């Protein structure tokens, strides 16, 4: 049975003497002597009073809330996202730009290169054919670009012929040729000219 003690120490003898009362079934029991408020205490059998039960329940609730907050607030481990591989666009290599003495020939070669980039093979060829003979010293470069155009159109025989003509007319930019794999391969197939210029190729 729940036990209580009066806490009205100023006016109640029961409070002064710490007298205990056993009261059952009342929500807010009062002191039988003074009518004051009673304090819930431990009963003689070791059971918990109402106050003790409230305190224990509050402690349990705080522990539960504490564990819940700990696990919910714990940062989650995230795997680092792999960096995307850079996208490298494949571009068709344009014919090399080689020094040209005559500005008219330079303009026509530049225009033909721009036309090649846009796939206008016929117009590019007309520009290069028109550039032949304007300046004999520039013909080697003109024929070199004609050979490059032939390779783009898969005209290997014509490309070989034009590259051979370029070499005959004094083509000397071997470093540029070596940087172009297709032209380098074409040059290697021209047997009659390979031996004569081999020593000058870098």
């Amino acid at each position: 049975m729940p036990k209580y003690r009066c806490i009205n120490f100023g006016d109640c003898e029961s409070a002064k003497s710490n007298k205990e009362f056993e009261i059952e079934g009342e929500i807010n029991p009062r002191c039988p002597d003074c009518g004051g408020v009673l304090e819930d205490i431990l009963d003689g059998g070791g059971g918990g009073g109402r106050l003790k039960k409230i305190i224990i329940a509050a402690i349990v609730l705080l522990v539960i809330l504490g564990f819940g907050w700990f696990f919910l607030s714990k940062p989650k481990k995230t795997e680092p996202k792999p960096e995307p591989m850079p996208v490298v666009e494949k571009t068709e290599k344009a014919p090399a730009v080689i020094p040209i003495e005559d500005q008219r020939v330079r303009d026509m070669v530049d225009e033909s290169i721009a036309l090649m980039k846009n796939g206008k093979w016929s117009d590019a060829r007309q520009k290069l054919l028109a550039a032949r003979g304007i300046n004999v010293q520039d013909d080697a470069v003109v024929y070199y670009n004609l050979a490059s155009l032939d390779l783009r159109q898969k005209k290997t025989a014509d490309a070989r012929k034009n590259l051979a003509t370029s070499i005959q007319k004094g083509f000397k930019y071997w470093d540029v040729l070596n940087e172009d794999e297709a032209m380098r391969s074409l040059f290697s197939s021209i047997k009659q000219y390979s031996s004569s210029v081999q020593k000058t190729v870098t």
Side-chain angles (χ1 to χ4, degrees):
M1 180 178 294
K3 291 185 178 183
Y4 301 90
R5 182 185 294 119
C6 182
I7 58 175
N8 186 15
F9 296 101
D11 300 323
C12 182
E13 293 297 327
S14 296
K16 294 177 182 180
S17 63
N18 288 326
K19 182 179 179 180
E20 297 179 358
F21 301 96
E22 291 185 356
I23 302 175
E24 185 176 8
E26 294 188 21
I27 299 175
N28 296 311
R30 296 283 179 172
C31 177
D33 295 333
C34 69
V37 177
L38 294 177
E39 179 185 47
D40 193 356
I41 62 173
L42 295 175
D43 59 20
R50 183 171 57 184
L51 181 60
K52 178 182 177 183
K53 293 178 182 178
I54 294 174
I55 294 173
I56 292 174
I59 293 174
V60 172
L61 180 61
L62 288 174
V63 171
I64 294 174
L65 291 176
F67 274 106
W69 177 85
F70 175 78
F71 286 108
L72 291 176
S73 62
K74 189 175 181 181
K76 296 181 179 180
K77 293 182 179 180
T78 55
E79 294 293 333
K81 294 182 178 180
E83 296 184 1
M85 295 294 292
V87 178
V88 180
E89 294 184 359
K90 294 183 178 180
T91 56
E92 189 176 5
K93 188 174 181 180
V97 177
I98 303 172
I100 298 177
E101 293 185 6
D102 193 291
Q103 184 60 43
R104 294 171 298 170
V105 178
R106 161 57 59 199
D107 292 341
M108 297 175 79
V109 170
D110 287 344
E111 290 175 9
S112 70
I113 292 173
L115 291 168
M116 286 188 223
K117 290 180 179 180
N118 293 322
K120 297 181 178 180
W121 315 122
S122 179
D123 294 339
R125 186 174 299 277
Q126 291 300 320
K127 289 288 182 181
L128 291 172
L129 292 176
R132 294 180 305 175
I134 295 178
N135 183 11
V136 177
Q137 294 180 347
D138 291 331
D139 277 353
V141 178
V142 174
Y143 279 97
Y144 180 88
N145 281 275
L146 278 170
S148 176
L149 174 59
D150 290 331
L151 283 179
R152 288 168 178 257
Q153 293 184 280
K154 302 186 185 304
K155 298 179 179 181
T156 307
D158 291 340
R160 187 181 294 110
K161 179 180 177 180
N162 282 320
L163 181 57
T165 302
S166 175
I167 295 171
Q168 283 182 321
K169 289 183 177 292
F171 182 85
K172 58 184 178 180
Y173 303 102
W174 307 113
D175 54 336
V176 176
L177 185 144
N178 281 331
E179 291 177 0
D180 190 328
E181 184 178 354
M183 293 295 285
R184 187 171 67 249
S185 175
L186 182 67
F187 171 75
S188 298
S189 68
I190 307 175
K191 302 297 183 181
Q192 62 269 37
Y193 297 104
S194 295
S195 58
S196 63
V197 297
Q198 187 65 31
K199 294 181 181 180
T200 61
V201 178
T202 59

